[in-house]
Amino acid sequence: MSEPRGRSTQRHATATDVARLAGVSQSAVSRAFTPGASIARETRARVEDAARALGYRPNAIARSLTTRRSRIIGVAAAYLQNHFYPDVLEALSKGLQARGYHLLLFTPDAARDADPLLQEVLAWQVDALILASTTLSSALAGQCRAAGIPVLLFNRTSRHADVSSVTGENLRGGRLIAEFLVAGGHKRLAFIAGIENSSTSRDREAGFTGWLAEHGHAPPLREVGLYDFEAASAAARRLLARSDRPDAIFVANDHMATAVSEVARHEFGLRIPRDLSLVGFDDTGPARWPSFSLTSFAQPLHPMVDAAVAMVCEMIEDPAAPTRHQVVPGELVVRGSARIPPEGCVSRGDALVWRPVQETVV
Amino acid sequence: MSEPRGRSTQRHATATDVARLAGVSQSAVSRAFTPGASIARETRARVEDAARALGYRPNAIARSLTTRRSRIIGVAAAYLQNHFYPDVLEALSKGLQARGYHLLLFTPDAARDADPLLQEVLAWQVDALILASTTLSSALAGQCRAAGIPVLLFNRTSRHADVSSVTGENLRGGRLIAEFLVAGGHKRLAFIAGIENSSTSRDREAGFTGWLAEHGHAPPLREVGLYDFEAASAAARRLLARSDRPDAIFVANDHMATAVSEVARHEFGLRIPRDLSLVGFDDTGPARWPSFSLTSFAQPLHPMVDAAVAMVCEMIEDPAAPTRHQVVPGELVVRGSARIPPEGCVSRGDALVWRPVQETVV
């Protein structure tokens, strides 16, 4: 592997220099700096000593032109205000770092078309693309397929494109929450949607309203909170100012549910759960804080990220592998923000979770 | 610019093919795909049409070997649990994207030595390195300088290395908070530190204790919260269980202050601010939620990020530029979590901020 000149004026040491000083082959130098490559511990130590003495830095970019692997994975993540995504990003980054990959980060706007930005990502010859909280067009998905670049949707699915995904149990979670609130004796249910064309919001709502319809209940009141703190606060104000105010709200994620909790208690003087039950989705940080003590369907972050890391590595090894949709099971974690039905709560570690006596499976 | 073969089996279109179809020079094709390069609108449109028709993708990596600019900036960010950093990351990413740069993300552990990971980053021929909530050794700083790679510390300074930085007013903020709490009539002050060797925690504490000492007040009680929610909760429990319980706590950041607020109200049954005043630092999301209504010294995120983006771009243009330490001014934003002194509050937009009648400047 030859090393192009760097930006500073002195000549940089090359892999050949290092090999000569260490008394090993050039291929041994290359292996010493290739994540995951097999090399004897003693050889690696000699190469590292020589590299240090000469101020040699391997050039991952030049290497990528030889290996056709950049070891860079493009990650598009929007909506970092929601506690869930920074945690995802950190876990993804650590999981991929451990496998010798690094993340090239892109931050499209959550509500906007991410295609133009993703086009740019592709110029970096990324080994794969992970889209968290965003999706892509079928045209771009086709372009990635033609270029042999695996794409994985994280916490999203695509209606339009045949793309692999890792999600939580959005549909089952929505159904379970409907059943939980009905079992808790609530009569006037409401739903606050996130971004309406996101698969998470659609699937959670479909599960919620589907279960209610199948069991002869009226459809819930409905407002849209766009997965945004301010928009969710406004949605809560509209619902809570009604004369037929709901006695329970399923909010499509915890980030919005904390906003709804603040508005209900501090602006409307409601007691939770006595006057109003709230259930969220994600089970992120603030859900566990005593101020919120939010009942929430857990999306298990680390199992989801582990699944994503494993899947993306498999897809890089075999870009022709068929599309897969992995759904990581979650639990309805019961805390103090919603009335608790007389039956169905079970301890799970230090948490309480709810399961209906006989869950209807669709 | 020639295009190496991609991973898929068909031959990829080259810049030459695009130039031929568009009827323009190869240099025009290259300029059309170089962020910031000058090119006539009509020429660019013809190049883009031809590129689309041929399925041509520019290769940013091959380009970087020619231009000696990767247009990748390495960003190390730890501690994404703190609301402040995801917001920083998103703003940095958007600011740099707008200038044609992308972020290669690294997530070292906040409390650990980041050097080994940063060594890896350098292999990617990054144009610059931004370290948020982490710092680097003087050895690594020297290595970056020798390689001509600018380094910028964000929200940190280094005691050991001569590295440029952008920070908020940590020292002045700490001083102002001491004065604010004393003006509010508090008698038993306490400080909860973050990670003790971080410059933010050190400077905030130095300002706080320095002002108290200069004005003849007893040194505050002290505990360490490691910038961690659980550790801060434990620190609060130790302070609040004392017989000489403090009547005011300055917590080194808001992330920890929310933890302290939860413990004080929900475990010790204290009323805030009647029984206990709390002041944080950062003025991040939950500080504004009515449940916390936290008085906090604001680190103005967007001005800090704008300063960082401008500085890093200047440093890339002129790697020999002298080290600079930019301190972005902030304000003590007054909300409901601490007793309000009779004088010194002034309106500032829709916020209330506090300034002593005559601020002592050091």
Side-chain angles (χ1 to χ4, degrees), chain B residues 132-149:
Chain B
S133 68
T134 188
T135 188
L136 79 178
S137 69
S138 53
L140 188 66
Q143 199 182 331
C144 290
R145 201 174 304 115
I149 297 173

Side-chain angles (χ1 to χ4, degrees), chain B residues 338-354:
Chain B
R339 288 210 301 264
I340 299 175
E343 289 190 328
C345 277
V346 288
S347 283
R348 186 71 178 267
D350 53 359
L352 207 60
V353 303
W354 190 79

Side-chain angles (χ1 to χ4, degrees), chain B residues 266-287:
Chain B
H266 296 282
E267 296 182 25
F268 287 81
L270 300 179
R271 289 155 304 174
I272 292 176
R274 191 169 161 162
D275 303 322
L276 177 71
S277 284
L278 286 183
V279 179
F281 210 105
D282 282 348
D283 192 28
T284 44

Side-chain angles (χ1 to χ4, degrees), chain B residues 105-240:
Chain B
L105 178 68
F106 293 79
T107 49
D109 288 319
R112 281 242 206 100
D113 178 16
D115 267 26
L117 197 55
L118 294 176
Q119 285 285 6
E120 253 185 80
V121 188
L122 298 184
W124 261 275
Q125 316 293 310
V126 292
D127 286 346
L129 206 50
I130 299 177
L131 308 185
S133 68
T134 188
T135 188
L136 79 178
S137 69
S138 53
L140 188 66
Q143 199 182 331
C144 290
R145 201 174 304 115
I149 297 173
V151 179
L152 179 67
L153 297 179
F154 186 91
N155 203 29
R156 286 289 186 279
T157 56
S158 170
R159 276 199 281 203
H160 309 292
D162 176 34
V163 180
S164 291
S165 64
V166 173
T167 61
E169 291 183 306
N170 295 309
L171 202 68
R172 175 174 168 255
R175 293 180 62 82
L176 212 56
I177 289 166
E179 191 164 3
F180 174 82
L181 290 174
V182 166
H186 300 90
K187 300 295 178 205
R188 291 180 308 286
L189 304 186
F191 175 70
I192 297 183
I195 292 172
E196 290 186 272
N197 67 1
S198 71
S199 61
T200 44
S201 187
R202 270 190 284 119
D203 292 350
R204 290 166 196 179
E205 180 168 14
F208 189 64
T209 57
W211 189 93
L212 292 175
E214 287 161 32
H215 293 80
H217 298 280
L221 298 173
R222 181 179 196 276
E223 290 286 349
V224 178
L226 299 173
Y227 285 146
D228 175 80
F229 200 88
E230 294 309 322
S233 302
R237 284 179 200 114
R238 289 191 297 272
L239 279 177
L240 298 177

Side-chain angles (χ1 to χ4, degrees), chain A residues 3-8 10 12 35 56-65 68-72 77-81 83 86-87 89-90 93-94 97 100-110 117 119-128 143 145-150 229 255 258 261-263 265-267 286 289-292 316 319, chain B residues 3-8 10 12 35 56-65 68-72 77-81 83 86-87 89-90 93-94 97 100-110 117 119-128 143 145-150 229 255 258 261-263 265-267 286 289-292 316 319:
Chain A
E3 170 95 20
R5 292 289 174 86
R7 263 170 272 140
S8 79
Q10 29 167 179
H12 279 190
Y56 168 78
R57 282 187 302 134
N59 183 333
I61 286 187
R63 186 176 63 215
S64 79
L65 294 177
R68 312 251 164 93
R69 288 279 186 272
S70 63
R71 302 205 75 86
I72 292 179
Y79 193 32
L80 296 181
Q81 300 79 33
H83 265 266
D87 293 349
L89 201 57
E90 187 153 9
S93 170
K94 292 201 162 134
Q97 268 168 206
Y101 289 99
H102 290 290
L103 300 191
L104 196 63
L105 178 68
F106 294 79
T107 48
D109 288 319
L117 197 55
Q119 284 285 4
E120 253 185 80
V121 187
L122 298 184
W124 261 275
Q125 317 291 311
V126 293
D127 287 345
Q143 199 181 331
R145 199 172 305 116
I149 297 173
F229 201 87
H255 180 60
T258 53
S261 172
E262 292 286 349
V263 166
R265 291 178 296 140
H266 297 281
E267 296 182 25
W289 301 355
S291 287
F292 300 103
I316 290 170
Chain B
E3 170 95 23
R5 293 289 175 85
R7 264 170 271 142
S8 79
Q10 32 170 175
H12 280 190
Y56 168 78
R57 281 187 302 135
N59 184 332
I61 286 187
R63 185 175 65 215
S64 79
L65 293 177
R68 309 255 165 92
R69 287 278 187 273
S70 64
R71 303 203 76 86
I72 291 179
Y79 193 32
L80 296 181
Q81 299 79 33
H83 265 266
D87 292 350
L89 201 57
E90 187 154 9
S93 170
K94 292 200 161 136
Q97 267 168 205
Y101 288 99
H102 290 289
L103 300 191
L104 195 63
L105 178 68
F106 293 79
T107 49
D109 288 319
L117 197 55
Q119 285 285 6
E120 253 185 80
V121 188
L122 298 184
W124 261 275
Q125 316 293 310
V126 292
D127 286 346
Q143 199 182 331
R145 201 174 304 115
I149 297 173
F229 200 88
H255 179 61
T258 53
S261 173
E262 292 285 351
V263 166
R265 291 178 295 140
H266 296 282
E267 296 182 25
W289 300 355
S291 287
F292 300 103
I316 291 170

